[in-house]
Amino acid sequence: MPRTFKHVIGHTIVLIGFSLVVSYASPATSQAAQVEDIDGLRVVRLSGSPYELGRQHGELLREEVRASVGRVLGHFRRYLKIPWVGARLVNWWLDSPWRQTKPFIPADSLEELKGLAETSGVPLRELYRLHAVPDRTYSCASFAAWGKVTTGGRLIHMRNLDWNIDADIQRYATVFVIRPKGKRAFISVGWAGFVGVLTGVNDAQISVGQIGAETTDVTYRGEPMAFVMRRVLEESASLGDASRLVLTARRTVGVNYVFADAKAKRGIVIETTHRHIRTFTADDAAEREVAYARPMRDAVYRADTAVDPIIRERQVASHGDPSRPGLEDPMGSSAYDVRYVGQAAGLQASFGE
């Protein structure tokens, strides 16, 4: 493994206590796919063509993929406590956006899903449904801090996946170390059966996190956020690259992105809807003009609440009401009070440490 990528892993996750290694030789690549149990954390190494990445994923984690997909989709199907009808409604709730987004999903990702389905035994349609979930859910939180905020000025990027714990996704947590043919190597912190990215870092030390931010400016005729995030890791050598990719993507739903560059010691927030986009840097002057914003030196952070007035005016998140003119006060919402202001309070309480 190149030294730079070892450095990324070492500064992202503590990997200790090797106890189990399972691998098999892939016919499409000279490297062996591998799954390791490292102090209770599942770490999977994949490499090769898109189909081969999916094939390795399904071969190594067959039972975990089946259980993960069944539990997550089962959670949504149980949510509507109407026998048979509830499951049909949830399938429609996920199938409908997927049909619209599928023409815009990278062909490589569709090929990877095909390989995953064939080796795991999970029907491709069920995998499609799983990958429709992120654009249908909201919440979460993320920050990047460096410089005066952290010990020694090192960059720390935090991302909290704030999904309902009853979905049991935490039982199938998996760190994927992926070397796609012809693209940048990257780490995705995800779960068995999922090929998109919600949290990760690449070999250029560009890291990504996101927060769903419910808005009325939505279309499903575009590229889902989890696949945009994956392309950021596969293609970006800088925050400029990452920003341009999000700017030019055919976006779908409201998302607040937090991206960081560990080498440059810098982070940015990109607030988006389908049609609107705005970038913020640390201690941004534009944030100081918004009463509820909490700009900070050497740190960027977000929950659901948008700061950009145009984007905020279209938000349903954080007590937003697009039917009324002007910006609604987000105070009193958990997205703002707990996940946004809470991050600010935590960073300030440990400033420099």
Side-chain angles (χ1 to χ4, degrees), residues 123-331:
L124 191 55
R125 192 171 186 181
E126 288 286 87
L127 289 174
Y128 287 167
R129 287 168 177 155
L130 178 69
H131 287 77
V133 169
D135 267 15
R136 285 294 213 174
T137 56
Y138 302 97
S139 302
C140 305
S142 185
F143 76 71
W146 62 92
K148 296 294 184 181
V149 180
T150 66
T151 304
R154 65 186 288 244
L155 185 137
I156 298 172
H157 191 171
M158 185 286 298
R159 186 266 199 277
N160 174 53
L161 182 67
D162 196 12
W163 283 19
N164 190 322
I165 199 169
D166 291 337
D168 271 349
I169 199 66
Q170 67 279 1
R171 295 180 183 272
Y172 309 101
T174 304
V175 175
F176 293 97
V177 182
I178 303 177
R179 298 177 178 281
K181 185 177 181 180
K183 300 177 183 178
R184 287 193 170 277
F186 66 94
I187 296 168
S188 174
V189 184
W191 62 90
F194 191 71
V195 307
V197 169
L198 297 180
T199 310
V201 58
N202 72 7
D203 58 3
Q205 297 189 46
I206 302 300
S207 54
V208 298
Q210 60 77 223
I211 306 95
E214 191 172 8
T215 178
T216 55
D217 184 24
V218 170
T219 181
Y220 290 110
R221 292 187 57 77
E223 185 178 2
M225 164 271 298
F227 295 100
V228 172
M229 294 265 281
R230 175 158 176 163
R231 287 202 298 121
V232 167
L233 293 184
E234 290 178 330
E235 301 175 22
S236 298
S238 67
L239 291 181
D241 291 343
S243 298
R244 283 188 289 274
L245 194 150
V246 175
L247 175 65
T248 57
R250 188 180 177 96
R251 300 181 302 274
T252 53
V253 299
V255 180
N256 294 335
Y257 295 96
V258 178
F259 294 159
D261 182 336
K263 290 188 292 187
K265 299 291 194 301
R266 179 170 170 255
I268 58 174
V269 167
I270 307 177
E271 296 181 352
T272 70
T273 67
H274 164 50
R275 285 173 291 193
H276 300 281
I277 185 167
R278 176 72 178 272
T279 301
F280 296 87
T281 57
D283 201 22
D284 200 299
E287 291 193 48
R288 292 198 292 272
E289 298 175 3
V290 178
Y292 58 78
R294 301 287 185 271
M296 186 179 300
R297 177 183 179 182
D298 292 349
V300 291
Y301 53 95
R302 279 298 185 276
D304 308 36
T305 315
V307 172
D308 177 73
I310 293 174
I311 293 174
R312 175 62 183 153
E313 199 159 337
R314 289 156 178 79
Q315 277 199 310
V316 177
S318 307
H319 297 329
D321 184 354
S323 68
R324 296 170 54 190
L327 303 185
E328 282 76 40
D329 190 335
M331 287 188 286

Side-chain angles (χ1 to χ4, degrees), residues 14-21 36-43:
V14 177
L15 304 180
I16 58 175
F18 289 80
S19 59
L20 174 68
V21 176
E36 305 172 46
D37 185 331
I38 302 176
D39 197 30
L41 177 68
R42 185 183 299 113
V43 178

Side-chain angles (χ1 to χ4, degrees), residues 60-137:
L60 291 174
L61 299 179
R62 182 181 292 111
E63 296 308 316
E64 291 87 348
V65 171
R66 291 175 177 177
S68 169
V69 176
R71 291 290 295 181
V72 174
L73 295 181
H75 166 73
F76 288 99
R77 288 164 179 158
R78 289 189 301 272
Y79 192 80
L80 294 176
K81 300 184 182 350
I82 311 171
W84 187 75
V85 175
R88 293 286 294 270
L89 285 173
V90 169
N91 288 347
W92 170 85
W93 184 68
L94 297 172
D95 289 343
S96 177
W98 183 265
R99 279 194 298 270
Q100 296 176 67
T101 63
K102 188 178 177 184
F104 304 96
I105 293 172
D108 283 356
S109 293
L110 294 175
E111 188 69 10
E112 187 172 345
L113 284 168
K114 180 182 176 183
L116 176 57
E118 290 181 3
T119 52
S120 68
V122 175
L124 191 55
R125 192 171 186 181
E126 288 286 87
L127 289 174
Y128 287 167
R129 287 168 177 155
L130 178 69
H131 287 77
V133 169
D135 267 15
R136 285 294 213 174
T137 56

